[in-house]
Amino acid sequence: MRFAYRFSGLLGTVYRRGNLSFTRDGNSLLSPVGNRISLFDLKNNKCETLPLATRLNIVCVGLSPDGSLAILIDEEGAALLVSLIGKCVIHQFYFHKPVHSVSFSPDGKKFVVTKDNLAYLYHAPGKKREFNAFVLDKTYYGPYDETTCIDWTDDSKCFAVGSKDMSTWVFGAERWANLIYYSLGGHKDVIVACFFEENSLDLYTISQDAALCVWQCDTELDGLKPMPPKDAAKEKKAAEDDEELLEERKGEEIHGKADPSEEETRNKVKYSRIFFNKEGDFNNLTAAAYHKKTHLLVTGFASGVFHLHELPDFNLIHSLSISDQRIASISINCTGDWIAFGCSGLGQLLVWEWQSESYVLKQQGHFNSMVSLAYSPDGQYIVTGGEDGKVKVWNTSSSFCFVTFTEHNSGVTAVTFTSTGYVVLSASLDGTVRAFDLHRYRNFRTFTSPRPSQFSCLAVDSSGEIVAAGSQDSFEIFIWSMQSGRLLDVLAGHEGPISSLSFNPMKCVLASASWDKTVKLWDMLDSWRTKETFIINSDVLVVAFRPDGKELAVAALNGQITFWDHDNAVQTGSIEGRHDLQMGRKELDKITAKQAAKGKSFTTLCYSADGQSILAGGLSKFVCIYNVKEQILMKKFEISCNHSLDAMEEYLDRRKMTEFGSMALIDEGGGGDEGVAIPLPGVKRGDMSYRHFKPEIRVTCVRFCPTGRSWAATTTEGLLLYSLDSGLIFDPFELDIDVTPSNIRKTLSQKEYTMAIVMAFKLNEKKLIQEVIEAVPSSEVDVVCSSLPDLYVEKLLEFLASAFETSCHLEFYLIWAHKLLMLHGQKSVKLLPVIQFLQKSIQRHFEDVSKLCEWNIYNIKYALAISQQRGMKRAAEETPGDEEELDSDSDYLMQEWGPEYKELGLSL
């Protein structure tokens, strides 16, 4: 069993907070998800979470114009410079205070960061290696209150900064003689966004009360004059004059000096307000975006409504509603066709094509935390259940949710797949167990108990016929028939809430765990009698069978994991895992983390696909993998480093303690983001019942993929996927001195194919293995498979399954897979995870190719029908002296449709 697992994806959460950003080509979208960043490829319908994370939640993202670099800034002002090409962190920087916004200049040479009431201009990192990637160029003073937004002119000569003091400031990126800074006032609320017009200094400003101001400049961009060189004395005097200006700036227009002469005033840039409009009764504008080429303005409101206007005439194009939650971020791609919306309250991400009025992307995670997950038998799909009562099915290859079931009225406690992979079962606290069909996407069975019960756990047998659910209030287990939907029996005997159920994969035996410190085995074929009862030292939280059904793992409240030979009712081993959890200290805890860990335990267990290891998680930021035979800890995975979550600190932070207690007891969030921070008499804005809280880090469920190549965990952060990292490790197998690439190629040239394959697997270089296998003639595949040692059959099947994902030699690899399975498929049960991995890869190709074939068949049938109609008309119109008729419909089809099909890449 290898443990080179690495983080590979984040599902279940698509947006938290921060600004959305489209890439340069407009086909991909960057979305901040907690302390991570996800890249949505809208063209290929895929999602990827970058393997990096900040210390706290990301609040703003700055994307370079060429799309190669991104700046991620968290809540405390810690920044990461990230390469989107290499997907790695290049540089770390700390701004010491919370940052409100960051924006690169259009030429990519500089970027502006705003914090407090200041704007900082930095030199952007170049393509060469530098000692310090962030070099401060200038600091701009102007606004009296916190800054809110930034926008650049197209030639990177000037930028505008909006502020909460209801003013907008225009600054020069260089020292211009006729524009140093300019203040624009006139709004009655906080500035939400400001936008320059294309190739102009004309400016649009939008405030929170949905008021739009259009500012016209009397100077073009080419009219900006550089500052003439001065000697040292004059430069010193000019600096003193500038300081006086900053102290004496008042009013709407400031041109450069405190008391400018008439001649100097005539040469300065001037702004005048030419248009003012207020958008109806909508008073809480939260986000806005503007596309300069199409003059399209998009505004979002706290009520979930968004408007599309055409500027400068302010013509309304669309007015639609996304939800009843505030729109936190809006972004428009480079062509102006797609608009991205982010709603932090619901965790919703939408990409809308406004011209066709259709969704390009519509994804939403669970509103509350996820509780349970299950893999499909082929590992291609994951189903999750959350406290919001929703059941979602995710595609592991694209990381997208493709169906959501909302029939439950309360929180979902357990989900599972049947053995066929086309039926999803879910148990809920609303007293129902529901079965969903993944072909028609409908709820086709609803199982209920004779009297209302809250179901806490769920299990289905290997045949998919028997469904069992445990109750947490009546202490009973209910058994239903999947075929008829009828209640078969009610199993009573436990004296506490049922915490977990598990069916033996090889026998029709059900294991049930309860808080009454017992684990009971029920024989489904013998009148559901109690076959065995195991007495545990503490309350039992979870049970799990090994994939071969010969061992049972039990996790109890005292932190122990015990292993049982259930056929002989003998305990075979135990693991003391309480200290491995390493529970963090919460902000309001009165005791240390070490003392708090004594009361913690594992709440979820899962065997690996080969049964040699077990995965365990609980109320901690760690997931542990144990070796079952040796009963030792193999590895601990830290699922999150996000300190925006509670219980992440190991020790108490004395800086957050005062003489009155912890600063966490002080609630500074009255009213939330859209309300007021400090309630004042007579103030009616915001929700005064709003309270700020930090969710606690925990792992609610862990599951191994049936293919054995990945595992998943539902956590406070979302659904985390970890997969085998096989590409970065040199892992030879039974290597000796004669196994070298040159000897392997020499053996291959001598047509000793079996020996060459064995030597290639000993060296274990993927490219060399591919070279050797593809050099084997298809006629020799049968002979090579029959002479291949059994030890290398599993390795070859695993290689074929991974090669299917990237190779274009589909038929050739299918021949290999077919011959291997026909000769060695029934020899060993150990091949089952590899065969499931192979099935997953082939199934994915089958779905893609079958859609293409169906589309081609439809086109050919349509072309034949058209050709037959034209042939009949032509035959009726032709005279005996005309040319000879075509021999067949196929000849006519080639003549009429051949050139068009060649253009489409199709052959007839």
Side-chain angles (χ1 to χ4, degrees):
M1 178 69 186
R2 290 175 290 174
F3 295 94
Y5 289 97
R6 61 178 177 84
F7 174 79
S8 61
L10 173 63
L11 283 71
T13 311
V14 292
Y15 176 75
R16 286 279 176 83
R17 59 178 296 191
N19 60 300
L20 302 170
S21 301
F22 275 100
T23 54
R24 182 184 181 184
D25 57 3
N27 295 328
S28 299
L29 180 69
L30 279 175
S31 173
V33 184
N35 67 331
R36 299 183 184 272
I37 195 84
S38 292
L39 181 64
F40 292 88
D41 187 349
L42 304 175
K43 193 173 182 180
N44 299 316
N45 197 33
K46 288 185 178 180
C47 173
E48 179 186 13
T49 303
L50 303 188
L52 47 93
T54 57
R55 188 175 180 272
L56 297 168
N57 287 334
I58 298 172
V59 293
C60 52
V61 179
L63 188 63
S64 63
D66 60 357
S68 61
L69 297 175
I71 299 176
L72 314 179
I73 305 177
D74 66 15
E75 294 171 342
E76 288 186 352
L80 295 181
L81 178 64
V82 176
S83 169
L84 296 180
I85 299 174
K87 297 170 185 174
C88 59
V89 177
I90 300 175
H91 183 68
Q92 298 182 11
F93 192 80
Y94 188 44
F95 289 107
H96 299 287
K97 288 184 179 181
V99 173
H100 304 296
S101 54
V102 57
S103 178
F104 275 88
S105 62
D107 60 6
K109 294 182 179 179
K110 296 181 179 181
F111 67 91
V112 175
V113 170
T114 61
K115 60 179 182 180
D116 288 339
N117 61 334
L118 305 178
Y120 298 86
L121 182 66
Y122 286 86
H123 290 287
K127 296 183 179 179
K128 298 180 182 179
R129 292 186 178 181
E130 301 172 359
F131 178 73
N132 186 8
F134 289 4
V135 179
L136 181 63
D137 184 19
K138 296 181 182 68
T139 302
Y140 294 88
Y141 299 82
Y144 291 98
D145 205 344
E146 292 183 356
T147 50
T148 56
C149 55
I150 308 170
D151 192 52
W152 284 84
T153 56
D154 289 341
D155 58 357
S156 305
K157 290 182 178 179
C158 301
F159 63 91
V161 175
S163 172
K164 289 185 177 180
D165 66 358
M166 299 174 284
S167 67
T168 305
W169 290 75
V170 181
F171 295 108
E174 303 293 339
R175 291 187 64 87
W176 306 110
N178 52 344
L179 177 61
I180 299 176
Y181 50 83
Y182 203 104
S183 175
L184 304 173
H187 283 281
K188 298 180 180 179
D189 209 333
V190 175
I191 304 297
V192 174
C194 56
F195 308 106
F196 279 105
E197 189 55 270
E198 186 179 14
N199 298 320
S200 173
L201 281 170
D202 293 348
L203 191 67
Y204 300 105
T205 57
I206 305 171
S207 59
Q208 194 170 349
D209 60 353
L212 171 71
C213 286
V214 183
W215 303 89
Q216 191 173 34
C217 183
D218 63 350
T219 307
E220 296 296 329
L221 287 172
D222 298 335
L224 294 176
K225 301 174 184 178
M227 188 74 73
K230 299 179 181 179
D231 54 14
K234 290 183 178 179
E235 285 182 0
K236 184 176 181 181
K237 187 176 184 303
E240 293 176 356
D241 292 342
D242 288 346
E243 290 179 4
E244 292 178 6
L245 277 171
L246 293 175
E247 294 175 0
E248 299 177 9
R249 61 189 188 279
K250 289 180 182 179
E252 181 178 321
E253 300 183 0
I254 298 178
H255 302 298
K257 290 188 178 181
D259 296 311
S261 63
E262 184 180 350
E263 183 180 352
E264 289 176 335
T265 304
R266 207 180 310 123
N267 295 328
K268 298 299 180 183
V269 171
K270 292 184 180 179
Y271 275 94
S272 58
R273 191 173 70 186
I274 63 169
F275 186 74
F276 179 84
N277 192 84
K278 190 166 170 44
E279 295 194 29
D281 297 329
F282 295 96
N283 292 323
N284 203 346
L285 188 142
T286 55
Y290 178 65
H291 192 259
K292 298 181 180 180
K293 293 182 180 179
T294 58
H295 305 284
L296 182 70
L297 175 68
V298 187
T299 52
F301 297 85
S303 59
V305 175
F306 71 91
H307 293 169
L308 269 70
H309 287 90
E310 185 182 9
L311 296 182
D313 297 331
F314 207 72
N315 298 324
L316 181 64
I317 302 173
H318 286 297
S319 179
L320 297 172
S321 175
I322 296 176
S323 63
D324 57 353
Q325 298 288 327
R326 70 188 295 268
I327 298 175
S329 178
I330 300 176
S331 181
I332 308 176
N333 73 339
C334 57
T335 61
D337 297 328
W338 293 348
I339 305 171
F341 300 94
C343 299
S344 56
L346 294 174
Q348 192 176 30
L349 181 64
L350 303 174
V351 179
W352 193 60
E353 188 173 10
W354 65 274
Q355 291 176 336
S356 63
E357 300 185 23
S358 60
Y359 285 112
V360 178
L361 173 71
K362 187 178 182 181
Q363 291 288 305
Q364 180 180 344
H366 287 278
F367 182 70
N368 291 325
S369 59
M370 284 181 284
V371 176
S372 179
L373 80 103
Y375 270 99
S376 63
D378 60 358
Q380 196 166 356
Y381 305 118
I382 293 178
V383 60
T384 58
E387 293 178 353
D388 56 357
K390 294 180 180 179
V391 176
K392 291 178 173 286
V393 186
W394 306 81
N395 190 318
T396 55
S397 58
S398 67
S399 300
F400 282 149
C401 171
F402 62 91
V403 62
T404 301
F405 301 107
T406 58
E407 280 78 4
H408 284 295
N409 298 322
S410 187
V412 176
T413 54
V415 290
T416 185
F417 274 95
T418 60
S419 56
T420 61
Y422 300 116
V423 176
V424 172
L425 288 160
S426 62
S428 172
L429 296 176
D430 63 1
T432 62
V433 173
R434 297 179 183 269
F436 302 99
D437 182 7
L438 290 186
H439 282 306
R440 298 176 179 86
Y441 300 141
R442 64 187 179 91
N443 176 206
F444 71 94
R445 284 278 187 277
T446 302
F447 308 101
T448 57
S449 55
R451 61 177 181 272
S453 299
Q454 290 185 319
F455 296 122
S456 58
C457 49
L458 177 69
V460 61
D461 74 331
S462 56
S463 66
E465 172 58 27
I466 300 175
V467 179
S471 171
Q472 67 179 17
D473 45 9
S474 63
F475 313 155
E476 295 171 329
I477 302 169
F478 299 90
I479 309 293
W480 295 277
S481 168
M482 174 71 79
Q483 194 72 24
S484 63
R486 188 168 56 89
L487 181 66
L488 299 178
D489 201 358
V490 179
L491 308 182
H494 281 292
E495 299 175 357
I498 312 297
S499 56
S500 179
L501 295 175
S502 180
F503 269 102
N504 191 321
M506 300 301 171
K507 301 178 183 177
C508 206
V509 174
L510 176 68
S512 62
S514 173
W515 291 6
D516 61 2
K517 303 181 182 180
T518 62
V519 174
K520 292 181 181 291
L521 298 182
W522 311 82
D523 193 346
M524 297 289 103
L525 301 179
D526 191 8
S527 302
W528 296 288
R529 290 189 307 171
T530 305
K531 185 179 179 183
E532 198 69 59
T533 300
F534 302 141
I535 307 298
I536 312 297
N537 295 330
S538 184
D539 296 1
V540 186
L541 301 180
V542 61
V543 291
F545 275 103
R546 204 166 66 185
D548 61 2
K550 295 181 179 179
E551 189 177 72
L552 181 70
V554 179
L557 192 61
N558 58 4
Q560 280 191 343
I561 302 175
T562 54
F563 302 97
W564 298 79
D565 179 3
H566 57 87
D567 289 333
N568 302 316
V570 176
Q571 181 177 340
T572 58
S574 66
I575 295 173
E576 187 68 40
R578 186 169 51 197
H579 300 292
D580 298 328
L581 274 172
Q582 268 189 307
M583 180 69 187
R585 180 166 185 167
K586 291 189 283 188
E587 287 184 336
L588 302 179
D589 275 353
K590 303 295 184 183
I591 58 176
T592 62
K594 188 175 181 180
Q595 291 294 327
K598 294 181 179 180
K600 303 301 178 183
S601 56
F602 293 115
T603 57
T604 175
L605 292 177
C606 181
Y607 274 97
S608 61
D610 56 6
Q612 297 179 8
S613 307
I614 194 166
L615 200 63
L619 294 176
S620 170
K621 62 179 178 179
F622 292 104
V623 172
C624 304
I625 289 187
Y626 294 96
N627 186 292
V628 176
K629 186 177 180 181
E630 302 294 335
Q631 298 174 11
I632 58 174
L633 177 67
M634 300 297 294
K635 188 169 183 178
K636 281 202 302 187
F637 295 92
E638 186 177 8
I639 59 171
S640 178
C641 60
N642 188 0
H643 286 258
S644 295
L645 303 174
D646 206 0
M648 290 294 295
E649 299 283 356
E650 189 174 353
Y651 300 103
L652 188 66
D653 190 353
R654 296 293 179 185
R655 293 174 298 178
K656 297 181 180 179
M657 296 298 294
T658 64
E659 56 183 325
F660 304 105
S662 174
M663 291 178 65
L665 292 169
I666 304 173
D667 188 10
E668 298 178 350
D673 293 337
E674 67 275 9
V676 287
I678 303 174
L680 299 174
V683 174
K684 295 183 180 179
R685 290 177 54 195
D687 182 8
M688 294 304 172
S689 65
Y690 176 84
R691 292 294 178 269
H692 175 72
F693 70 96
K694 294 175 71 172
E696 182 181 351
I697 183 68
R698 59 174 179 165
V699 179
T700 53
C701 187
V702 291
R703 289 291 180 268
F704 251 104
C705 181
T707 63
R709 298 187 61 83
S710 63
W711 59 271
T714 53
T715 68
T716 313
E717 289 269 89
L719 175 60
L720 303 179
L721 294 183
Y722 287 80
S723 59
L724 277 176
D725 185 9
S726 56
L728 303 176
I729 298 175
F730 175 64
D731 186 19
F733 177 73
E734 295 183 356
L735 189 64
D736 54 44
I737 196 170
D738 297 326
V739 179
T740 61
S742 58
N743 286 344
I744 292 172
R745 291 187 176 95
K746 183 178 178 181
T747 306
L748 188 63
S749 64
Q750 297 172 357
K751 298 185 178 181
E752 296 180 9
Y753 300 119
T754 306
M755 182 59 67
I757 290 174
V758 171
M759 292 173 68
F761 274 111
K762 284 185 177 181
L763 193 61
N764 207 8
E765 286 285 344
K766 189 173 180 180
K767 290 185 178 179
L768 190 60
I769 295 172
Q770 183 177 352
E771 179 185 341
V772 171
I773 289 178
E774 291 181 357
V776 178
S778 58
S779 58
E780 298 289 331
V781 172
D782 198 357
V783 178
V784 173
C785 290
S786 59
S787 60
L788 194 68
D790 292 343
L791 187 61
Y792 295 93
V793 171
E794 182 180 358
K795 292 183 175 296
L796 182 53
L797 281 172
E798 187 176 347
F799 171 79
L800 291 175
S802 60
F804 267 117
E805 297 179 350
T806 56
S807 178
C808 58
H809 305 296
L810 187 59
E811 183 181 3
F812 181 70
Y813 283 122
L814 281 173
I815 294 172
W816 273 100
H818 179 258
K819 297 297 183 183
L820 281 172
L821 292 176
M822 290 295 291
L823 293 169
H824 304 278
Q826 298 178 350
K827 287 187 177 180
S828 176
V829 183
K830 291 183 179 180
L831 293 178
L832 186 59
V834 182
I835 292 173
Q836 288 175 330
F837 181 36
L838 186 66
Q839 179 191 0
K840 175 185 176 182
S841 301
I842 295 175
Q843 180 69 22
R844 191 178 302 166
H845 276 291
F846 172 75
E847 291 177 356
D848 294 339
V849 174
S850 61
K851 290 178 182 177
L852 181 63
C853 292
E854 288 174 0
W855 176 246
N856 287 343
I857 290 171
Y858 171 78
N859 283 339
I860 291 172
K861 287 182 178 180
Y862 176 76
L864 281 171
I866 295 295
S867 66
Q868 288 174 0
Q869 290 180 2
R870 290 186 179 179
M872 292 172 62
K873 291 181 180 179
R874 187 169 179 178
E877 294 174 357
E878 281 182 352
T879 59
D882 290 340
E883 297 178 359
E884 295 181 359
E885 294 184 0
L886 294 174
D887 296 334
S888 63
D889 288 337
S890 61
D891 294 336
Y892 186 82
L893 183 63
M894 286 298 297
Q895 181 179 341
E896 292 288 330
W897 294 86
E900 297 179 8
Y901 267 71
K902 284 181 181 178
E903 290 178 4
L904 294 173
L906 302 174
S907 59
L908 294 174

